[in-house]
Amino acid sequence: MSVADGRSVRDALQVLAGGSGARGVAGVTDDGRLVALLDVPRARGDGDESPPWWADLGSLDAVRPRPDLATEVSDFVSTIPARSGFAQVIRARVTDRPTFERVLAADAEWLAVARPEVLGGALAWHGPDRFTLVVCFTDEASARAGEAKNAESPGADIDALMLDVSYAELRDPWTAPL
């Protein structure tokens, strides 16, 4: 379903999540999908419950929230920055989580040094083998230019460990604290 007015969704999300201590990244994709990776400490680990304010998003025009609660959330490269000019979101399943985590950690260390346009991000696990990874960049042009260096990274072959991969790009990400 398409989000007709990204600004009103952003404003509502900030109001609804504002008192919860949530941090994260959200935005609307080019095709109008709302994508949000929010770390809401009070909701994490509950297993069956969404944050109480999440259902209120459904009252906004064209928003049908489908929460996918995380069992674990950690920083990627660095914490989610206060501002970001571009963000990429990857969702997938992994075939070998220990190997994936080891390669991803090495890749994060490499990114921190070799790709200064990578500002930080977060990794959320949704059970034993599904994850969402959001990576924030200074801007899209720098992110695209930096992709040429990825063949040198320790994570160059990480795609072989992932199944059912989906990508989303946020050209105007809203970073938190929300």
Side-chain angles (χ1 to χ4, degrees):
M1 178 154 275
S2 180
V3 174
D5 180 7
R7 185 174 232 12
S8 65
V9 172
R10 178 183 183 169
D11 293 347
L13 192 58
Q14 287 177 326
V15 169
L16 293 171
S20 68
R23 68 182 188 100
V25 178
V28 178
T29 63
D30 288 348
D31 63 357
R33 290 177 295 130
L34 172 66
V35 176
L37 177 65
L38 304 175
D39 182 10
V40 183
R42 291 192 312 242
R44 189 180 333 127
D46 292 347
D48 296 329
E49 291 186 33
S50 300
W53 50 266
W54 190 251
D56 293 339
L57 280 179
S59 66
L60 296 170
D61 182 39
V63 176
R64 287 189 187 157
R66 288 183 322 174
D68 192 0
L69 296 180
T71 54
E72 302 168 53
V73 179
S74 60
D75 292 334
F76 179 72
V77 178
S78 180
T79 59
I80 293 171
R83 303 192 114 204
S84 173
F86 180 68
Q88 292 178 327
V89 181
I90 303 167
R91 291 181 52 98
R93 287 187 309 118
V94 295
T95 57
D96 179 349
R97 182 172 170 175
T99 300
F100 178 83
E101 287 179 316
R102 187 176 63 253
V103 172
L104 193 63
D107 200 40
E109 288 180 22
W110 178 84
L111 286 167
V113 174
R115 303 238 349 239
E117 77 282 4
V118 176
L119 301 175
L123 172 67
W125 286 98
H126 313 285
D129 67 345
R130 291 183 312 108
F131 72 90
T132 302
L133 173 65
V134 63
V135 183
C136 297
F137 300 88
T138 55
D139 58 75
E140 184 175 2
S142 298
R144 300 287 184 219
E147 287 174 350
K149 296 179 184 179
N150 284 351
E152 306 165 15
S153 82
D157 296 329
I158 202 166
D159 289 350
L161 298 170
M162 298 188 297
L163 302 169
D164 305 324
V165 182
S166 68
Y167 298 92
E169 294 184 339
L170 307 175
R171 296 186 202 297
D172 180 23
W174 317 323
T175 56
L178 295 173

